[in-house]
Amino acid sequence: DTAVSQTPKYLVTQMGNDKSIKCEQNLGHDTMYWYKQDSKKFLKIMFSYNNKELIINETVPNRFSPKSPDKAHLNLHINSLELGDSAVYFCASSPTSYSNQPQHFGDGTRLSIL
Amino acid sequence: GNSVTQMEGPVTLSEEAFLTINCTYTATGYPSLFWYVQYPGEGLQLLLKATKADDKGSNKGFEATYRKETTSFHLEKGSVQVSDSAVYFCALRMDSSYKLIFGSGTRLLVRP
């Protein structure tokens, strides 16, 4: 009974390609997120959607485009991949916008750019 | 802006030793505070949380107390096990804000 699931778990591709990462949550949460974790384990939010509406976009290049077809899904499409995009990308969800509600994370997608 | 500062790792301990991982925060208001743990090859799991001053969060033998006067939320455990080896992240979230702000993470290695 996976709560937040991401696919694929590993993604190896060449510079310049376009790729997508999918995320689904079965917790009934309203809000979903994408985080990027770099090689030094530093975690930073990229995007957040609440009920399919974009609410956070943290100075992420236009090559990254999130899409939320419904509140249980938040996909991340990346165009023209660059070496610096190599990282682990985590999807997360939370029930509401209230600050005391924890976020639930997926297991991550490790993206490697050759 | 709001931020979280954690002690740098790695922290290496022998089994049954006492653990402290320091975390301090800077915030314009009164955030909720969290500790997340990341085991090798896995995603982040919530370890514990505290939502107001003097609250103590606890789980699996870990504890952290929300100290407004020192803006700290240090993680402690009385006796660590090899299975506690992981990366620990301190994080804050402001009222009416959707995003978690993380510290840089502290790697803990516990040796038998």
Side-chain angles (χ1 to χ4, degrees):
Chain A
D1 289 359
T2 305
V4 181
S5 59
Q6 297 178 226
T7 54
K9 192 173 173 70
Y10 299 96
L11 187 51
V12 181
T13 189
Q14 294 191 329
M15 252 192 337
N17 284 349
D18 303 338
K19 290 293 178 186
S20 292
I21 308 172
K22 295 186 176 182
C23 179
E24 176 181 6
Q25 54 96 2
N26 62 7
L27 297 167
H29 289 170
D30 293 327
T31 311
M32 296 184 72
Y33 313 79
W34 278 110
Y35 287 85
K36 180 180 180 180
Q37 185 176 46
D38 63 22
S39 58
K40 296 184 178 178
K41 297 289 188 184
F42 187 69
L43 268 161
K44 188 159 190 245
I45 191 163
M46 300 173 68
F47 299 103
S48 178
Y49 272 71
N50 185 55
N51 278 322
K52 303 194 297 175
E53 181 184 344
L54 179 67
I55 52 172
I56 296 176
N57 181 342
E58 287 282 310
T59 328
V60 177
N62 291 338
R63 298 182 296 104
F64 290 79
S65 52
K67 283 192 172 47
S68 181
D70 56 62
K71 75 173 192 177
H73 295 84
L74 180 61
N75 304 323
L76 183 64
H77 188 76
I78 316 170
N79 289 327
S80 304
L81 282 157
E82 300 178 357
L83 287 175
D85 298 333
S86 295
V88 182
Y89 292 84
F90 286 100
C91 179
S93 71
S94 66
T96 66
S97 63
Y98 298 128
S99 65
N100 61 2
Q101 297 293 328
Q103 295 178 13
H104 298 256
F105 285 77
D107 286 341
T109 296
R110 183 175 296 276
L111 174 62
S112 300
I113 310 301
L114 304 177
Chain B
N2 302 320
S3 65
V4 175
T5 302
Q6 284 181 241
M7 63 188 287
E8 286 196 22
V11 173
T12 303
L13 296 173
S14 297
E15 207 164 21
E16 299 183 3
F18 185 87
L19 168 71
T20 300
I21 299 178
N22 289 339
C23 171
T24 57
Y25 66 90
T26 302
T28 51
Y30 301 106
S32 292
L33 300 173
F34 304 85
W35 277 101
Y36 280 84
V37 58
Q38 185 179 26
Y39 297 103
E42 296 184 14
L44 279 76
Q45 301 173 25
L46 177 69
L47 183 59
L48 52 85
K49 70 174 185 178
T51 58
K52 60 183 188 299
D54 300 325
D55 267 3
K56 178 186 281 188
S58 61
N59 185 26
K60 299 181 182 178
F62 290 89
E63 291 183 342
T65 301
Y66 189 139
R67 301 280 187 208
K68 189 176 73 172
E69 63 276 13
T70 54
T71 62
S72 65
F73 193 53
H74 304 321
L75 183 68
E76 296 182 336
K77 187 175 185 183
S79 175
V80 293
Q81 305 301 311
V82 172
S83 57
D84 293 328
S85 298
V87 181
Y88 292 82
F89 291 91
C90 186
L92 70 82
R93 191 176 175 198
M94 302 303 298
D95 281 349
S96 299
S97 171
Y98 289 90
K99 63 180 181 181
L100 274 171
I101 296 171
F102 285 93
S104 55
T106 302
R107 183 180 298 277
L108 171 65
L109 177 61
V110 180
R111 294 192 167 143

